[in-house]
């Protein structure tokens, strides 16, 4: 099995998506990785603008005194902050040292998320019911001091999309949380081809400062779960801490209700862990920076007219542009076709076309699908239509494959011994009864490393006995070892 | 005169481009300001990709030990660094304090620019002449601890586009520096309608770590100069400090030659200071997030058919979409037309169309130009063509106006008394002889606050006497008080 050792890291390095930077937990985004992120960003940005959100940009640095305001929130992030304490360096005896006199009176925290600074502005901006709902979005880089950093999944620095909203009623705020969760679900399933489980977090696992954390969870090929998106109902926690009030239609001053939600470059990690195979990355067409690569095969001794090849390629390129298919025509003489085949395999380009003497003579072109690794020959005349269909097919096939995997990994378990055994062998998501107690949840986590990844939102009513305590349980929840 | 007091700040606040954040020197980008930046970014990104540059993203945090490597570079930024020293907070007696045990062994600097971290990677990536030239670009946020922060012009945090390249020959590196400077010049003059002076910095004013700093300088309405873009020839400074060598075609190991260059959100400040008037912002059409606003005038007592109005507007919208003209149709009943006129004036929308009963009856539409503040009536049938022409006219007119201003402000001066007098009255750029000595340059700066903004690249050969020392001078240079 290829899912071992440094498989994940190797794919990232070989496909030239990212690499280590030498700064703990921070990586360098290479052009290919940045392109994938730009695709994700453009599409989610479009969806958020369409649903009435506006982009803002708040400062990177947060005053310690503001972070402090919402107690639970602060507590949740206190142990993973990058703290700025000084503003000048000096040279002393050929050494570069910090100038003690430049010590800041008010220390600053590099944002681990932006609730504190945004609620500080909500206070200024929200006066009346006419200002509500206030729907903000931000794209930014953030720092969380991860103990065990990992490419894309647990970086110290990563890119975050974070939405922050304020509403006049609880109902509206919760509805908004759910709406965003569904928007994420659509994006992740339809564009990234990753099937997700929708639910909410337990008290233990929810976001620091939230009343409810709704979440999307996915299962990776190695049987570990990955939290892929979250949407938090903040209740009045932040509006009370930051004293954000509005005058309602009756002239009465009321606290607003808050939400916040986000996705991050973690999505790239999810794509890699869901779709890749032993040959490298596989990108769903809708997110691939290059959807089709064309590789010409020209042997010195071939006697065919190079103009015919150029002509075919030109026509293809016109068609790709018309249909907004992103492509690369790689006719560089620097590398041999075999090297290129491997290169584009590793990079996960959905479709590869090969055109050489044979193809031209037969009027057929070799089409290679990255997902199934199968070759087919298409008539040049029908190529255009077939390729558009094929891209859709690949997109669907990747989702289907991942869904089969997900189903394979979900397993109903009623016995704690079996529960532990499965976790230690095939892993995956265990669907078991739980009595609702945080104490038991912690016990299980300590003994097995599995946490409750979510209480599913679509859940059959079923009473039973808690897998651990044997106490009364009113529903099953999902347990898994998580990234 | 309107160019007084807080005029600049007021325009920023009233047009809703940005506002203060409460964190020293950091501002909040509002949606309108962020939109302008996204326009700038998209266009420059396109130009840089077209010229072979690839986007990377390097970490926000730089190891102090790496910053130290290039001595002059480090010295230049040492006094304005945000330094991260700890990674955890804790609560003690209801206070949030820094956990001393979390002190970092290796302190980190928030990037003030990314030369150090990028040259550290160049060392890994550059092996042979085949890897050259290496053309990198990065879009990011950076921190410089400004003593006197100012919206867009001197923010502590701002957005930067920074290019970094490595070349095999000195000639090629210098050529690249100049090529980029011309690219910036094209963008700033053609898209932002700001005329610039091209030149290079003196030894005193050049970038920390560069051998030559090429620059573009502009003059603002208040007679102060603004450095608007720079392009640095780094020589072998970084390649020696970071030991970046390549094997040339003859198999010999050689140090590479470096360049770096950038523009930033400062460009937005330049647009505001160049084009605005007492009514608010004026945006050049090519950079305006909204190029045309349509405001319908509907009085309750008007007896005309609202469908006719809708019909006209629909046709306009189709035309705008076809011609990629960005527009807003503001038919919100929330505000009266007068309020809207003012709002879009302040926001600097290039063209405002008003459509009401009168206009429909006469078959003519009122067209208001923001730059000249003149109204005209255009036949509905000829509107489309006229508007496209008008947008181009406004773009050119703004440039022309700024060019006249620039010429008005450039002044040949041969006498130091006059030099000081002009600086203290109308300001502007003084074209005077200088003997080339840094000592004299510093003296003048200290006495008048004017620095040498650049040694112009297009310069008539003219010998003369230094304005200060009376020593022999082989050329005139530009002096000015600068932002």
């Amino acid at each position: 099995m290829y899912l071992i050792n440094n498989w994940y890291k190797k794919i990232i390095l070989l496909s030239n998506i990212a690499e280590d930077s030498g700064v703990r937990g921070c990586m360098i985004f290479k052009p290919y990785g940045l392109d994938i992120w730009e695709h994700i960003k453009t599409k989610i940005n479009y969806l958020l603008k369409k649903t009435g959100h506006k982009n803002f940009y708040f400062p990177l640095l947060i005053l310690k005194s503001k972070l402090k305001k919402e107690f639970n929130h602060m507590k949740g992030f206190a142990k993973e902050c990058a703290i700025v304490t000084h503003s000048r360096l000096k040279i002393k005896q050929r050494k570069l040292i910090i100038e003690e006199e430049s010590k800041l009176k008010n220390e600053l925290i590099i944002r681990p998320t932006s609730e504190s600074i945004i609620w500080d502005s909500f206070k200024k901006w929200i006066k009346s019911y006419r200002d509500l709902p206030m729907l903000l979005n931000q794209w930014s880089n953030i720092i969380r001091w991860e103990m065990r950093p990992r490419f894309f999944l647990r970086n110290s620095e990563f890119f975050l999309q974070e939405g922050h909203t304020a509403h006049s009623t609880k109902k509206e705020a919760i509805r908004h949380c759910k709406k965003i969760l569904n928007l994420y679900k659509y994006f992740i399933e339809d564009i990234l081809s990753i099937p997700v489980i929708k639910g909410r977090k337990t008290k233990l696992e929810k976001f620091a400062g939230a009343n409810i954390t709704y979440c999307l969870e996915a299962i990776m090929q190695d049987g570990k779960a990955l939290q892929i998106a979250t949407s938090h109902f903040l209740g009045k926690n932040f509006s009370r801490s930051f004293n954000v009030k509005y005058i309602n239609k009756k002239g009465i001053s009321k606290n607003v209700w808050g939400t916040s939600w986000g996705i991050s470059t973690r999505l790239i990690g999810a794509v890699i862990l869901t779709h890749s195979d032993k040959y490298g990355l596989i990108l769903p067409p809708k997110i691939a920076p290059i959807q089709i690569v064309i590789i010409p095969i020209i042997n010195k001794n071939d006697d065919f007219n190079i103009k015919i090849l150029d002509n075919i390629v030109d026509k293809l390129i016109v068609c790709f542009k018309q249909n907004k298919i992103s492509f690369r025509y790689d006719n560089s003489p620097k590398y041999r076709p075999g090297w290129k085949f491997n290169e584009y395999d590793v990079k996960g380009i959905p479709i590869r076309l090969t055109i050489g003497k044979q193809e031209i003579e037969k009027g057929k072109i070799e089409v290679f699908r990255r997902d199934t690794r199968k070759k087919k020959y298409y008539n040049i005349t029908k190529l255009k239509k077939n390729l558009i269909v094929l891209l859709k097919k690949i997109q669907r096939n990747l989702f289907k494959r991942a869904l089969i995997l997900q189903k394979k990994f979900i397993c109903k378990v009623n016995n704690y011994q079996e529960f532990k055994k499965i976790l230690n062998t095939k892993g995956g998501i265990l669907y078991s009864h739980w009595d609702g107690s945080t104490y038991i949840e912690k016990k299980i986590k300590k003994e097995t490393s599995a946490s409750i990844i979510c209480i599913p939102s679509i859940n059959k009513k079923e009473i039973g006995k808690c897998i651990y305590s044997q106490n009364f349980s009113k529903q099953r929840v999902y347990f898994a070892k998580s990234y």
Side-chain angles (χ1 to χ4, degrees), chain A:
Chain A
M1 194 181 168
Y2 54 90
L3 296 167
I4 41 162
N5 286 333
N6 284 320
W7 167 77
Y8 174 68
K9 193 172 172 183
K10 262 185 203 158
I11 286 187
I12 289 171
L13 297 178
L14 286 174
S15 62
N16 227 345
I17 284 185
E19 71 175 58
D20 266 322
S21 72
V23 180
R24 199 186 154 288
C26 298
M27 60 183 202
I28 299 167
F29 275 81
K30 307 293 272 296
Y32 196 52
L34 215 49
D35 271 356
I36 296 173
W37 178 241
E38 286 300 324
H39 267 65
I40 292 177
K41 192 173 159 177
T42 305
K43 292 198 162 98
I44 291 190
N45 206 35
Y46 171 78
L47 293 172
L48 290 177
K49 283 200 172 172
K50 227 177 73 176
T51 46
H53 300 84
K54 291 202 166 170
N55 285 342
F56 284 68
Y57 182 81
F58 290 82
L60 174 73
L61 300 173
I62 299 177
L63 282 165
K64 203 184 67 181
S65 56
K66 301 284 179 194
L67 186 67
K68 207 178 68 178
K69 282 201 167 182
E70 212 295 322
F71 185 77
N72 287 318
H73 180 68
M74 176 270 290
K75 238 177 58 179
F77 287 102
K79 299 295 172 206
E80 48 184 55
C81 285
I83 307 161
V84 177
T85 57
H86 294 76
S87 70
R88 290 196 301 274
L89 297 165
K90 67 177 176 188
I91 301 141
K92 203 177 169 183
Q93 293 167 333
R94 307 197 124 255
K95 273 192 171 174
L96 186 62
I97 59 165
I98 294 173
E99 201 176 302
E100 266 318 311
E101 304 83 62
S102 75
K103 191 167 167 23
L104 305 178
K105 272 182 199 157
N106 299 303
E107 290 104 349
L108 296 157
I109 316 295
I110 301 181
R111 62 181 161 225
T113 171
S114 303
E115 274 78 4
S116 339
I117 197 151
I118 289 179
W119 279 87
D120 197 46
S121 290
F122 275 171
K123 187 180 165 49
K124 282 182 281 175
W125 298 340
I126 295 172
K127 301 289 173 208
S128 124
Y129 67 91
R130 281 186 218 92
D131 303 320
L132 297 175
M134 190 160 278
L135 310 176
L136 260 60
N137 182 47
Q138 174 171 275
W139 293 93
S140 72
N141 53 338
I142 65 164
I143 297 262
R144 292 180 192 170
W145 213 261
E146 289 289 350
M147 291 310 294
R148 280 174 299 276
R150 197 151 193 203
F151 278 118
F152 294 109
L153 306 175
R154 292 203 172 275
N155 280 116
S156 290
E157 182 184 10
F158 58 93
F159 294 145
L160 181 68
Q161 171 273 312
E162 46 176 331
H164 299 269
T165 69
H167 305 264
S168 52
T169 68
K170 180 177 174 179
K171 204 173 148 188
E172 187 188 293
I174 290 181
R175 205 191 297 131
H176 199 77
C177 272
K178 289 181 177 172
K179 181 177 167 178
I180 295 295
L181 201 74
N182 285 330
L183 182 152
Y184 286 152
K185 185 171 188 289
Y186 156 74
F187 175 80
I188 294 165
E189 297 198 325
D190 195 68
I191 311 289
L192 304 184
S193 291
I194 303 174
V196 293
I197 298 169
K198 207 164 84 172
R200 61 187 163 82
K201 292 283 178 190
T202 61
K203 219 170 158 182
L204 183 68
E205 301 287 340
K206 71 178 162 58
F207 178 71
N211 285 1
I212 310 171
T213 288
Y214 298 98
C215 62
L216 300 177
E217 301 285 327
I219 186 85
M220 303 294 106
Q221 287 185 68
D222 60 356
K224 278 173 94 174
L226 184 79
Q227 174 185 304
I228 201 163
T230 50
S231 180
H232 316 295
F233 169 59
L234 304 175
K236 293 187 171 179
N237 302 334
F238 284 87
S239 86
R240 283 199 186 113
S241 310
F242 286 85
N243 196 25
V244 181
K245 287 181 175 181
Y246 74 103
I247 308 287
N248 72 8
K249 282 183 185 171
K250 291 173 190 159
I252 301 161
S253 173
K254 295 250 183 189
N255 276 106
V256 301
W257 299 86
T259 84
S260 72
W261 27 272
I263 54 91
S264 72
T265 29
R266 183 168 242 223
L267 288 180
I268 297 176
V271 166
I272 300 169
L273 282 169
T274 302
H275 300 304
S276 304
D277 63 12
K278 65 176 170 181
Y279 302 97
L281 196 64
I282 303 180
L283 288 179
K286 287 192 185 173
I287 210 70
I290 306 164
Q291 295 175 310
I292 298 178
V293 61
I294 312 167
I295 300 175
I297 314 262
I298 305 161
N299 293 313
K300 270 186 199 162
N301 304 326
D302 280 354
D303 56 352
F304 75 92
N305 197 332
I306 198 98
K307 274 189 188 162
I308 301 177
L309 191 147
D310 284 347
N311 195 12
I312 295 173
V313 171
D314 285 349
K315 276 186 189 158
L316 274 176
I317 289 178
V318 169
C319 152
F320 291 164
K321 283 186 182 167
Q322 273 170 358
N323 291 282
K324 288 186 181 166
I325 293 170
S326 58
F327 65 95
R328 179 179 291 170
Y329 175 43
D330 186 350
N331 62 347
S332 139
K334 227 167 148 184
Y335 299 102
R336 296 177 53 81
W339 187 95
K340 292 179 190 173
F341 290 174
N342 181 59
E343 173 73 4
Y344 294 110
D345 256 20
V346 171
K347 281 187 134 62
I349 314 299
I351 296 175
R352 182 183 80 213
L353 305 181
T354 319
I355 313 178
K357 193 186 170 191
Q358 255 193 326
E359 282 76 12
I360 290 171
E361 281 172 1
K362 289 182 188 161
K364 287 179 174 199
I365 285 183
E366 185 190 294
V367 177
F368 173 82
R369 276 176 72 161
R370 176 65 183 86
D371 60 338
T372 57
R373 299 188 60 72
K374 280 186 184 146
K375 281 180 199 170
K376 252 193 182 173
Y377 288 86
Y378 285 133
N379 245 321
I380 292 185
T381 49
K382 288 179 191 164
L383 192 60
K384 177 182 146 181
K385 208 178 130 192
N386 280 324
L387 288 178
I388 294 172
V389 172
L390 189 55
L391 283 172
K392 285 183 189 160
K393 251 192 199 167
I394 295 173
Q395 183 78 27
R396 274 200 309 271
N397 182 47
L398 287 175
F399 181 78
K400 227 164 59 188
R401 263 176 20 180
L403 193 63
I404 291 169
L405 195 88
Q406 187 203 66
K407 294 219 165 115
K408 198 190 89 185
F409 271 126
I410 296 179
C411 173
K412 214 181 239 188
V413 184
N414 296 317
N415 172 297
Y416 191 56
Q417 291 315 315
E418 202 191 332
F419 183 98
K420 284 194 283 190
K421 198 179 141 196
I422 295 174
L423 277 175
N424 288 329
T425 51
K426 75 164 198 173
I429 298 177
L430 307 189
Y431 191 41
S432 299
H433 274 289
W434 168 60
D435 65 7
S437 126
T438 302
Y439 173 76
I440 298 297
E441 190 182 358
K442 279 184 182 165
K443 276 250 175 192
I444 295 173
K445 195 171 180 177
K446 206 177 162 192
E447 289 179 16
T448 66
S449 304
S451 57
I452 298 176
I453 58 165
C454 76
I455 303 165
S457 57
I458 301 162
N459 215 358
K460 278 181 206 148
K461 269 185 191 167
E462 183 194 324
I463 55 170
K465 280 183 178 171
C466 173
I467 192 147
Y468 192 92
S469 68
Q470 302 297 320
N471 288 338
F472 171 80
S473 152
K474 59 176 183 178
Q475 67 180 342
R476 288 178 185 267
V477 296
Y478 288 123
F479 287 88
K481 289 189 190 175
S482 265
Y483 272 105

